[in-house]
Amino acid sequence: MPPTADLVLGLNAVIVAVTAEVPRVLTLNRGEQPALPFGPLDPVQDRTLELGLRRWVSEQAGLSLGYVEQLYTFGDRNREEDEGSGEPRVLSVAYLALVREEEAETVAGAQWTDIYRFLPWEDWRRGGPRILDRAVVPALAKWRDSADHRALRQVRSERIDIAFGLHGSPRDGYRVLERYELLYEAGLVAEARRDRQLSQARGDEESPLPGRTMAFDHRRILATALGRLRGKIHYRPVVFELLPPTFTLLQLQRVVEALAGVPLHKQNFRRLVERGGLVEGSGRFDSQTGGRPAELFRFRRDVLRERPTSGVGLPVHPRE
Amino acid sequence: MPPTADLVLGLNAVIVAVTAEVPRVLTLNRGEQPALPFGPLDPVQDRTLELGLRRWVSEQAGLSLGYVEQLYTFGDRNREEDEGSGEPRVLSVAYLALVREEEAETVAGAQWTDIYRFLPWEDWRRGGPRILDRAVVPALAKWRDSADHRALRQVRSERIDIAFGLHGSPRDGYRVLERYELLYEAGLVAEARRDRQLSQARGDEESPLPGRTMAFDHRRILATALGRLRGKIHYRPVVFELLPPTFTLLQLQRVVEALAGVPLHKQNFRRLVERGGLVEGSGRFDSQTGGRPAELFRFRRDVLRERPTSGVGLPVHPRE
DNA sequence: TCCAATTATTCTCACTGTGAGCATAACCAG
DNA sequence: CTGGTTATGCTCACAGTGAGAATAATTGGA
């Protein structure tokens, strides 16, 4: 196995914070479109991939990452142009990182952007997003009907139903990547048109949907991160990485809702985290609620020992 | 970002099949120790990583892979020797693949090995493995007590309890990697001693535990794969990738048990897969059961549309 | 032929987790 | 002191699940 010099390795970071009920991702301005932070691995200096990531994030953004988790390794050649050109193949190992609200200071050249600016069809907190019925579903239907063969139409129809929870299929908050990839395949996100630029000069493409474009395949990476994060809060208490040491239950609920993209039943949420042993009261109270003061809680680290797989469990049938 | 020539990229495959109630992994003889299949990525030819994997597995082993899923990317430098030497850094993207029993033919130089030969402490189908009480737990206790400071002993104690489900902590079948890494850190698996060879010539190490060693970090990769697979059958019907098109419910149960490493309640298992809509009766029967003939079932593909997140759900409190 | 052993299949029962909503408590602004 | 607002406590219905009894349909030998 010879060293492969025609290959570049990088690390991508999806750095997430939640401020004021808005889930945000750290983005950089690389060219026209926002991009995720990207850094190289120093094969000599960095003993592990994760340490390498922490090193350059710290150097570049002055951010000290708390929770870090490897997401996925992206290495598909999605631009036709790459094929013949002498450009090296890019392989990127993507990481998900969570930082606390307070530490989320804006660094020069970087900004915290609402994740749902990039994936507007994922926010169901105030009911089904309008963009879905107005733009996404009709465009997908058009794509479905444009298939040449009946069988292909059937396949597309099922994929659409499953991904977006239509026609009786339950909606599944975790399938963020599946939804994005469907939209990409259907040519409904700007990235798809950009990537196909040279090979497809056909005029039958839809105009791209609302939702901000990102550089390279970064929106795909973001979708992967959001899906993973939504799944993770089910069975691991990761939300607390995003909160100050002490918080009210409503604050906690809002953070979970922001990530999950669905509204939760307040009383049941309280029951879940309290009876699940995830939090403990501090005895202190927050009177800035606008109503009855709320007790300040803190995360019970012991829960990791008692109930190793405990999370805040999202509802199967969220309220509308 | 310059091309990094001092870096080698490869793809590893954990190819799993279940035959006769034994979960097996395809291993090759590379040197003294068994190794996982490993192949390069051809940056020019292989459009995607997964296609690259399928290509060389097909070429080398004559195996056509069914279900394939990316596992994790390993790139830690775990051998001190690498540091100064001119050896390139190895980065490997590991994949999990499932193949059907019938297709699991032995290829020259390759063999199907019982996964629990490598991870004997993971098989709880006939109660807690003897190796646990006899060797693992005492050795871990020794390691815990060898810590210099009280605080460190406490930390180690908790980690051991959580990982192995001791002292009231529930046992968690998915924490396969966590358990292996703990044993590695404690110097209880041969790989740890091998990797520390040069830096630690101390004589205070335990003799390695039972359980076969693998080349490089392949046992770690295998542990990752088993943990992921155990988690996956919870919420995705992947088991069927390992079964013939038609099977009895007991056959299905045995395969799940083999992977989960836990015995299941027969009647409840039937209720789960039947009421969950995962299978449908074929009307035909298998009379080779030794008792009353069992109906042959097949996987209901429709379930993917109706209940997108359905699996066979392992019990939280498995029978002993 | 009939019985014991074996496996398959059907049901019951208790308990827990969860979705939904009512009721009460404690604060604020006017 | 009153209405608005948020926090907290509690009840009820119902689905899912762990456990096991009971019944059905075979086979192999006594």
Side-chain angles (χ1 to χ4, degrees):
Chain A
M1 43 186 191
T4 47
D6 40 1
L7 197 136
V8 172
L9 176 82
L11 304 173
N12 268 117
V14 182
I15 306 175
V16 174
V18 179
T19 54
E21 309 187 4
V22 178
R24 300 179 201 271
V25 61
L26 190 72
T27 55
L28 306 175
N29 290 319
R30 290 256 186 277
E32 303 168 23
Q33 295 156 334
L36 295 174
F38 178 89
L41 173 77
D42 180 339
V44 178
Q45 194 186 143
D46 301 322
R47 199 164 46 78
T48 73
L49 297 179
E50 189 182 311
L51 285 175
L53 181 89
R54 288 180 188 274
R55 178 183 56 76
W56 64 251
V57 167
S58 166
E59 288 171 9
Q60 283 180 27
L63 254 181
S64 166
L65 300 179
Y67 179 85
V68 169
E69 167 189 336
Q70 192 187 109
L71 262 186
Y72 198 82
T73 296
F74 297 84
D76 294 0
R77 188 178 54 219
N78 50 17
R79 308 192 194 189
E80 312 283 340
E81 1 175 0
D82 290 359
E83 184 134 24
S85 77
E87 285 188 37
R89 180 75 168 266
V90 177
L91 205 86
S92 92
V93 185
Y95 279 80
L96 167 66
L98 306 181
V99 299
R100 289 218 161 72
E101 193 172 346
E102 313 107 73
E103 294 151 30
E105 296 163 26
T106 309
V107 196
Q111 54 249 325
W112 292 96
T113 317
D114 184 348
I115 292 180
Y116 297 126
R117 287 281 301 270
F118 300 110
L119 307 167
W121 48 85
E122 295 293 343
D123 186 2
W124 281 67
R125 280 176 295 178
R126 282 162 293 278
R130 295 207 166 169
I131 183 188
L132 264 180
D133 290 335
R134 276 200 202 162
V136 177
V137 174
L140 282 171
K142 209 164 181 177
W143 173 67
R144 183 222 314 136
D145 295 334
S146 73
D148 292 334
H149 299 292
R150 186 194 157 90
L152 183 56
R153 277 196 296 277
Q154 179 63 24
V155 169
R156 288 186 177 177
S157 183
E158 289 211 349
R159 285 184 60 201
I160 294 169
D161 288 352
I162 292 175
F164 286 89
L166 307 176
H167 298 116
S169 289
R171 214 178 57 82
D172 185 336
Y174 314 119
R175 309 195 163 227
V176 184
L177 180 62
E178 200 173 319
R179 283 186 281 272
Y180 175 77
E181 293 200 322
L182 198 59
L183 295 176
Y184 182 95
E185 212 180 311
L188 299 175
V189 292
E191 284 91 336
R193 315 180 80 194
R194 182 193 64 201
D195 296 349
R196 293 175 191 168
Q197 208 175 354
L198 295 184
S199 62
Q200 285 202 1
R202 307 197 317 230
D204 61 356
E205 303 209 1
E206 294 290 314
S207 63
L209 293 171
R212 206 158 154 201
T213 307
M214 294 184 86
F216 309 109
D217 57 348
H218 288 187
R219 195 141 60 133
R220 184 185 308 264
I221 297 178
L222 180 63
T224 307
L226 184 60
R228 180 77 135 269
L229 190 50
R230 284 181 172 181
K232 200 99 185 183
I233 44 185
H234 247 324
Y235 58 95
R236 286 292 146 89
V238 284
V239 234
F240 303 101
E241 305 283 345
L242 297 163
L243 283 160
T246 191
F247 46 82
T248 69
L249 292 188
L250 187 57
Q251 281 170 17
L252 174 60
Q253 181 179 341
R254 293 296 182 223
V255 172
V256 173
E257 287 175 334
L259 296 173
V262 289
L264 299 174
H265 186 281
K266 187 170 181 170
Q267 296 95 317
N268 290 346
F269 183 79
R270 161 182 285 267
R271 179 178 63 189
L272 198 67
V273 296
E274 263 193 317
R275 301 253 289 246
L278 283 166
V279 298
E280 61 188 357
S282 69
R284 296 186 299 116
F285 287 81
D286 175 8
S287 346
Q288 311 302 312
T289 58
R292 171 173 169 176
E295 183 163 10
L296 289 165
F297 287 78
R298 58 174 157 261
F299 174 48
R300 274 192 70 235
R301 302 219 159 265
D302 291 344
V303 79
L304 294 172
R305 205 162 69 88
E306 300 161 8
R307 313 183 45 183
T309 61
S310 58
V312 289
L314 306 183
V316 186
H317 306 297
R319 297 184 320 173
E320 292 286 312
Chain B
M1 40 184 194
T4 47
D6 42 358
L7 198 135
V8 172
L9 175 83
L11 304 172
N12 268 117
V14 181
I15 306 175
V16 174
V18 178
T19 53
E21 307 187 5
V22 178
R24 301 178 201 271
V25 60
L26 190 71
T27 57
L28 305 175
N29 291 318
R30 290 257 185 276
E32 302 169 23
Q33 294 157 334
L36 295 174
F38 177 89
L41 173 77
D42 180 339
V44 179
Q45 194 186 143
D46 300 322
R47 199 165 47 80
T48 75
L49 297 178
E50 189 182 310
L51 285 175
L53 182 89
R54 289 179 187 273
R55 178 183 56 76
W56 63 251
V57 167
S58 167
E59 288 171 10
Q60 282 180 29
L63 256 181
S64 166
L65 299 179
Y67 179 85
V68 169
E69 167 188 338
Q70 192 188 107
L71 263 185
Y72 199 82
T73 297
F74 298 86
D76 295 358
R77 187 177 53 218
N78 49 15
R79 308 193 193 190
E80 312 284 340
E81 4 175 357
D82 290 359
E83 184 132 21
S85 78
E87 283 189 39
R89 181 73 168 271
V90 177
L91 204 88
S92 92
V93 185
Y95 278 81
L96 167 65
L98 306 180
V99 300
R100 289 219 160 71
E101 192 172 348
E102 314 108 69
E103 294 150 29
E105 295 164 24
T106 311
V107 197
Q111 54 249 323
W112 292 96
T113 317
D114 183 349
I115 291 179
Y116 297 125
R117 286 281 302 270
F118 300 110
L119 307 166
W121 47 85
E122 294 294 343
D123 186 3
W124 282 66
R125 281 176 293 178
R126 280 161 295 277
R130 295 206 165 169
I131 184 186
L132 264 180
D133 290 334
R134 277 199 201 161
V136 177
V137 174
L140 283 171
K142 210 164 181 176
W143 173 67
R144 183 225 312 138
D145 295 334
S146 74
D148 292 334
H149 300 292
R150 186 196 157 87
L152 183 55
R153 275 197 297 278
Q154 180 63 24
V155 169
R156 287 186 179 178
S157 182
E158 288 211 350
R159 285 183 60 200
I160 294 170
D161 287 352
I162 293 176
F164 286 90
L166 306 176
H167 299 118
S169 290
R171 211 177 59 80
D172 185 337
Y174 313 119
R175 310 197 161 225
V176 183
L177 180 62
E178 199 172 321
R179 285 187 279 272
Y180 176 77
E181 294 199 324
L182 197 59
L183 295 176
Y184 182 96
E185 212 179 311
L188 298 175
V189 291
E191 283 91 337
R193 317 181 78 195
R194 182 193 64 200
D195 296 348
R196 293 174 192 171
Q197 207 175 354
L198 295 183
S199 61
Q200 284 201 2
R202 307 198 316 234
D204 61 355
E205 303 209 4
E206 293 290 315
S207 64
L209 292 171
R212 209 160 152 195
T213 308
M214 292 184 86
F216 310 109
D217 57 349
H218 288 187
R219 195 141 61 136
R220 182 184 309 264
I221 298 178
L222 181 62
T224 307
L226 184 60
R228 181 77 135 267
L229 191 48
R230 284 181 172 180
K232 200 98 185 186
I233 45 184
H234 247 326
Y235 59 98
R236 286 292 147 92
V238 282
V239 234
F240 302 101
E241 305 282 346
L242 298 162
L243 282 159
T246 191
F247 47 82
T248 68
L249 293 186
L250 186 58
Q251 281 169 17
L252 173 61
Q253 182 180 341
R254 293 297 182 221
V255 171
V256 173
E257 287 175 334
L259 296 172
V262 154
L264 300 174
H265 186 282
K266 186 170 181 169
Q267 295 95 317
N268 291 345
F269 182 80
R270 160 182 287 267
R271 180 177 60 189
L272 198 68
V273 296
E274 263 192 316
R275 302 252 287 246
L278 284 166
V279 297
E280 62 188 355
S282 69
R284 295 187 299 117
F285 288 81
D286 175 8
S287 342
Q288 311 302 310
T289 57
R292 173 174 169 175
E295 183 165 9
L296 288 164
F297 287 78
R298 57 174 158 261
F299 173 48
R300 274 191 70 236
R301 302 219 160 263
D302 290 345
V303 81
L304 294 172
R305 205 162 72 90
E306 300 161 8
R307 313 183 44 183
T309 61
S310 57
V312 290
L314 305 183
V316 186
H317 306 296
R319 297 185 320 173
E320 291 286 311

